[in-house]
Amino acid sequence: MTTICGHSVDEFVEMVTRFHGFPAPGIIISGFMVDLALELRRGDGLYEVLCETSVCLPDAVQLLTPCTFGNGWMKVADTGRFALAVFDKRTGEGVRVHLDARKLAHYPEINAWFFRLKPKKEQDGERLNAEILAAGKGILGSAPVKVARPFLGHHGMGDTALCPSCGEAYPVRDGDRCKACGGWELYEK
């Protein structure tokens, strides 16, 4: 029986549905990606995850591993590629798994979804999810990697101070004032 990180496929699809509101195809594929990366990684020590997209992959990582954006064990470097690396948090050695578009020829609904060849309202969701479950890890590629030093380790907030402009707490590493008061526009005025 196929499992995704120790969960039956049905259990994982239900987890995704509860978390995301519907059985999101990208998160289901991401579950297979996380499962393969954990299966292929060497060593049994502490690991972290680097996601190369902010779409879907981080959700699966947070559902299936102890790595979250909040605890700093998951990093997102949004290259736009549907890929992730699971790596030893000290050495950076690990495995990268990606959705291999060259393997989608036998899965026309996945191909149409991935390359956005059909508007969402024209996609056959049941067929898409059936193809994803049939394909499983068969549409993935992997390779050993060594993650670059800036992505290694936990980078806490460090020292905290009150911003002289707004009076709110901010990490001192950001300079003499918080980023918002320094000109980083988050909201329209």
Side-chain angles (χ1 to χ4, degrees), residues 17-34:
T17 303
R18 280 193 315 268
F19 182 78
H20 197 72
F22 71 99
I27 301 176
I28 295 170
I29 292 171
S30 298
F32 284 109
M33 293 171 71
V34 171

Side-chain angles (χ1 to χ4, degrees), residues 2 7 12 37 45 56 68 88-89 106 133-134 136 171 174 180 183:
T2 301
H7 303 279
F12 181 64
C56 296
T68 68
D88 181 288
K89 67 187 318 161
H106 299 298
L133 297 179
D174 289 347

Side-chain angles (χ1 to χ4, degrees), residues 2-165:
T2 301
T3 62
I4 299 173
C5 294
H7 303 279
S8 73
V9 171
D10 290 341
E11 288 171 339
F12 181 64
V13 169
E14 180 58 32
M15 289 168 62
V16 170
T17 303
R18 280 193 315 268
F19 182 78
H20 197 72
F22 71 99
I27 301 176
I28 295 170
I29 292 171
S30 298
F32 284 109
M33 293 171 71
V34 171
D35 186 70
L36 180 60
L38 291 174
E39 175 186 314
L40 295 176
R41 79 180 183 96
R42 295 188 188 112
D44 56 1
L46 296 173
Y47 64 91
E48 294 188 359
V49 176
L50 175 63
C51 294
E52 294 186 36
T53 180
S54 61
V55 179
C56 296
L57 271 172
D59 293 343
V61 170
Q62 292 186 121
L63 282 170
L64 296 170
T65 76
C67 303
T68 68
F69 192 73
N71 70 16
W73 296 354
M74 178 182 64
K75 284 120 174 135
V76 177
D78 199 350
T79 65
R81 300 186 299 185
F82 208 66
L84 72 120
V86 173
F87 60 95
D88 181 288
K89 67 187 318 161
R90 291 173 306 280
T91 67
E93 293 180 11
V95 64
R96 180 179 183 268
V97 173
H98 69 281
L99 177 61
D100 189 341
R102 296 170 297 189
K103 296 180 179 180
L104 297 181
H106 299 298
Y107 304 99
E109 205 65 32
I110 300 172
N111 190 67
W113 166 81
F114 187 67
F115 287 106
R116 293 172 182 50
L117 302 176
K118 293 184 193 178
K120 194 170 192 165
K121 64 183 178 182
E122 293 178 22
Q123 293 175 7
D124 183 340
E126 285 184 31
R127 182 172 172 207
L128 174 58
N129 282 339
E131 282 187 9
I132 291 168
L133 297 179
K137 298 176 194 173
I139 56 174
L140 307 177
S142 65
V145 292
K146 182 160 182 169
V147 173
R149 184 154 304 284
F151 296 103
L152 298 183
H154 180 69
H155 306 286
M157 281 188 58
D159 292 339
T160 303
L162 294 180
C163 175
S165 299

